Amino acid sequence: MRVTGADPTHPADSPPIDEPILLRLAQPLREAFERAGFTADGILAALGSDVHDALGRGEPTPVRRRCRALGDLGTLVRLFLLADDVDAEAARNALTPVDPADAERGGLLARPNATTVRALLDVRPLDLGHGTRWVVSDIDGSTREVAIGADHVLGVGHASLSLVRATPTRTDGPVTLLDLGTGCGVQAVHASAYAARVTATDLSARAVVLARVTAALNDLDVEVLTGPWFDPVAGRRFDRIVANPPFVVGTGDVTHSYRDSGLDLDGASRTVVSTAPEHLELGGTATLLAAWIHVDGEDWRSRVASWLPDHGVDAWIVQRDVADPALHVGTWLRDGGLDPRTPAADALAERWLARLEDADVTGVGFGFVYLRRTDRPTSVLAEDLRHGLEDPLGDEALDVFDRLDWLRTRDVAAERFAVDPATAYEDVALPDPDGGWSTVVRRVHRGDGPAWQHEIDEDGAALLAGLREDGLPLADVVELLAAARGVDADELMPGAVALVSGLVMHGLVRPAGSP
């Protein structure tokens, strides 16, 4: 199959690619990369940390200077990571045993003149935690000016890497996984390390080809299917679903298939969130990137929760960021290669902002939706997580669902608890006018995972100080605290149960005996 783009007459279509030829090139390409050290670790070691950082920032000059002394590896870095024109003979040597003629016919390379070659595709080594994998996508224009075609296949970006870090990988046995909207196949490659069978889908014929090439280049067995949304897997269920769909909140127009769904406003996210549970096995989980509008007078939590069925789902909805309409539109204009100062971009921005204004949109939220299929009434926990955090969310979602189950089935007052070792207590005080210090806020912080923090009062601090793995049940600790305060325990109990339940949910306090 020779793919030329969503609209061959579009002036910004991506260069044509030939699937059979590219698949045939996968093995010799892998041999060339391994021989030259074109791997995540190999490139870091050869460039050094400072120059490698420059590469990550999109500053090519320090990288080109270092590449002069790196032989075949330097040629491959310039060819595929900087998108430079390089000497044809040097490229032939670096790519041995690849047939240069096949590379040109397949759409991997082109000859701008008789003595040089250039890459038409981005081929990027990536370590997702299980050694180097190579990802094949379209060139994004950050190093060489290129048109961003309507059928452009996005490469390794912030969204795809954030989804990798947010996806649970802990399993109790062999699992099947669906990667919905696979694009170039980043999530499918990541999933192949922990899933027994991976199926990937995409509406874009070009994305399907590049995802298959990515899988072949890494010698991975991934089933890649073409079609919209869940249509290619109708009637099938999976243990895990991961999705980075075209979730951008827009007007319903499609200018770039990797971001525009053709559905108005947040219709793409609504479609994925509402349909995913139907394709999960009982107990199966989904990790979805999604966006939702903030409408004047409407709680965003209620909006996203309304996309779910009344029965059969546990949901943890995590909002990581909110953009005002102008920032949202400007960001995605630049993402599509448009200069916001040009008449064409101005016309598009005008139409886009008008649609958001007509819908009373005050902001656009972005984050993760975690789902688990159950046989119980639907339960939804939606919360903001906009602060910075170091550890990946990943398996935290599975822990959240386990904590939900525990809290559903226990009498919290009758249980014993311990403060998690990663929990820190902070007492913030300001100078008192009468001398000394006056506490203005008390907090407990979780030192790992999502880095949650909760404000507590003096009674809450005393209560937590009384929790021990081998100590008293919560009700008895409250009794002692009430006696010390000279109040009735019944007055303190509801607040104590609510506090401890919230801290258990966020992992700052754990039930006695739990790991």
Side-chain angles (χ1 to χ4, degrees):
M1 174 173 64
R2 189 169 177 81
V3 179
T4 58
D7 177 5
T9 65
H10 195 290
D13 272 344
S14 302
I17 53 178
D18 190 295
E19 179 177 1
I21 295 177
L22 289 177
L23 290 176
R24 190 165 66 241
L25 287 172
Q27 181 177 341
L29 265 177
R30 187 168 63 252
E31 291 179 20
F33 293 162
E34 290 174 344
R35 174 182 51 77
F38 189 65
T39 64
D41 288 343
I43 291 171
L44 175 59
L47 294 182
S49 59
D50 291 346
V51 176
H52 193 269
D53 289 345
L55 175 65
R57 295 192 301 267
E59 299 168 5
T61 304
V63 183
R64 291 191 183 110
R65 289 172 57 84
R66 184 64 55 85
C67 284
R68 293 170 189 164
L70 298 182
D72 288 348
L73 176 57
T75 299
L76 294 176
V77 169
R78 290 188 58 210
L79 185 64
F80 291 117
L81 302 187
L82 299 183
D84 282 350
D85 292 354
V86 302
D87 178 77
E89 189 61 28
R92 176 190 292 272
N93 292 336
L95 288 169
T96 301
V98 172
D99 182 342
D102 269 355
E104 292 178 39
R105 286 192 293 267
L108 177 65
L109 301 178
R111 278 183 173 267
N113 56 56
T115 61
T116 61
V117 297
R118 67 172 50 156
L120 296 181
L121 295 172
D122 184 293
V123 186
R124 191 164 296 267
L126 185 66
D127 189 343
L128 299 174
H130 297 87
T132 289
R133 301 289 186 266
W134 294 275
V135 177
V136 185
S137 65
D138 283 317
I139 295 172
D140 64 8
S142 63
T143 51
R144 184 180 81 216
E145 186 172 350
V146 295
I148 304 299
D151 59 345
H152 180 86
V153 178
L154 205 63
V156 180
H158 174 72
S160 58
L161 291 179
S162 68
L163 183 56
V164 164
R165 288 172 56 82
T167 299
T169 60
R170 189 175 72 227
T171 65
D172 295 327
V175 300
T176 57
L177 180 140
L178 170 65
D179 173 16
L180 182 78
T182 189
C184 64
V186 174
Q187 307 306 321
V189 167
H190 179 235
S192 295
Y194 63 89
R197 181 162 180 77
V198 177
T199 298
T201 69
D202 207 291
L203 173 63
S204 163
R206 184 177 183 88
V208 166
V209 170
L210 293 186
R212 287 173 178 161
V213 174
T214 291
L217 185 55
N218 294 288
D219 197 24
L220 298 174
D221 181 15
V222 176
E223 177 188 28
V224 187
L225 306 175
T226 308
W229 307 115
F230 292 91
D231 287 4
V233 292
R236 295 173 60 180
R237 289 182 175 174
F238 301 84
D239 301 304
R240 300 282 176 90
I241 296 174
V242 60
N244 181 9
F247 57 77
V248 173
V249 171
T251 62
D253 298 326
V254 178
T255 59
H256 296 89
S257 61
Y258 70 86
R259 73 176 197 199
D260 303 319
S261 66
L263 300 177
D264 190 35
L265 299 175
D266 51 13
S269 295
R270 181 180 66 250
T271 296
V272 175
V273 171
S274 63
T275 310
E278 302 170 15
H279 294 274
L280 285 172
E281 298 284 4
L282 188 64
T285 59
T287 305
L288 316 172
L289 269 177
W292 41 83
I293 58 175
H294 286 228
V295 178
D296 193 22
E298 177 185 81
D299 189 331
W300 71 268
R301 298 168 181 83
S302 299
R303 181 180 187 85
V304 181
S306 73
W307 300 343
L308 295 166
D310 294 332
H311 190 89
V313 179
D314 286 338
W316 184 36
I317 303 164
V318 181
Q319 181 167 258
R320 291 291 287 138
D321 198 10
V322 180
D324 64 75
L327 176 60
H328 173 76
V329 171
T331 297
W332 289 107
L333 285 176
R334 285 184 286 271
D335 174 85
L338 292 178
D339 184 340
R341 299 168 295 183
T342 63
D346 179 68
L348 177 56
E350 174 66 33
R351 187 167 68 254
W352 204 334
L353 288 169
R355 177 67 190 102
L356 297 179
E357 184 178 356
D358 288 345
D360 295 324
V361 174
T362 60
V364 177
F366 164 84
F368 305 104
V369 176
Y370 294 97
L371 306 175
R372 178 176 63 174
R373 188 173 176 217
T374 74
D375 56 2
R376 299 182 296 262
T378 290
S379 171
V380 178
L381 173 64
E383 50 193 351
D384 268 305
L385 183 59
R386 288 195 250 175
H387 57 262
L389 50 100
E390 294 296 326
D391 293 342
L393 283 178
D395 293 337
E396 180 73 18
L398 303 181
D399 294 335
V400 166
F401 290 138
D402 288 344
R403 294 173 198 142
L404 274 171
D405 281 345
W406 190 92
L407 288 168
R408 280 194 191 104
T409 58
R410 303 301 177 103
D411 177 0
V412 173
E415 296 291 335
R416 292 174 171 82
F417 298 91
V419 177
D420 190 88
T423 298
Y425 171 69
E426 177 186 22
D427 190 326
V428 180
L430 295 176
D432 192 295
D434 297 326
W437 297 93
S438 178
T439 296
V440 294
V441 66
R442 295 177 176 86
R443 300 188 189 96
V444 282
H445 298 260
R446 179 170 162 187
D448 59 6
W452 292 112
Q453 59 177 293
H454 287 243
E455 289 191 12
I456 60 174
D457 58 17
E458 185 177 2
D459 285 345
L463 179 73
L464 296 182
L467 301 181
R468 296 285 187 276
E469 182 86 24
D470 57 353
L472 299 172
L474 178 61
D476 291 346
V477 177
V478 172
E479 289 277 2
L480 293 175
L481 179 61
R485 295 287 192 263
V487 298
D488 192 320
D490 290 342
E491 295 180 21
L492 298 183
M493 187 62 71
V497 169
L499 173 63
V500 171
S501 296
L503 295 178
V504 167
M505 176 58 65
H506 282 160
L508 288 88
V509 167
R510 52 184 174 80
S514 64

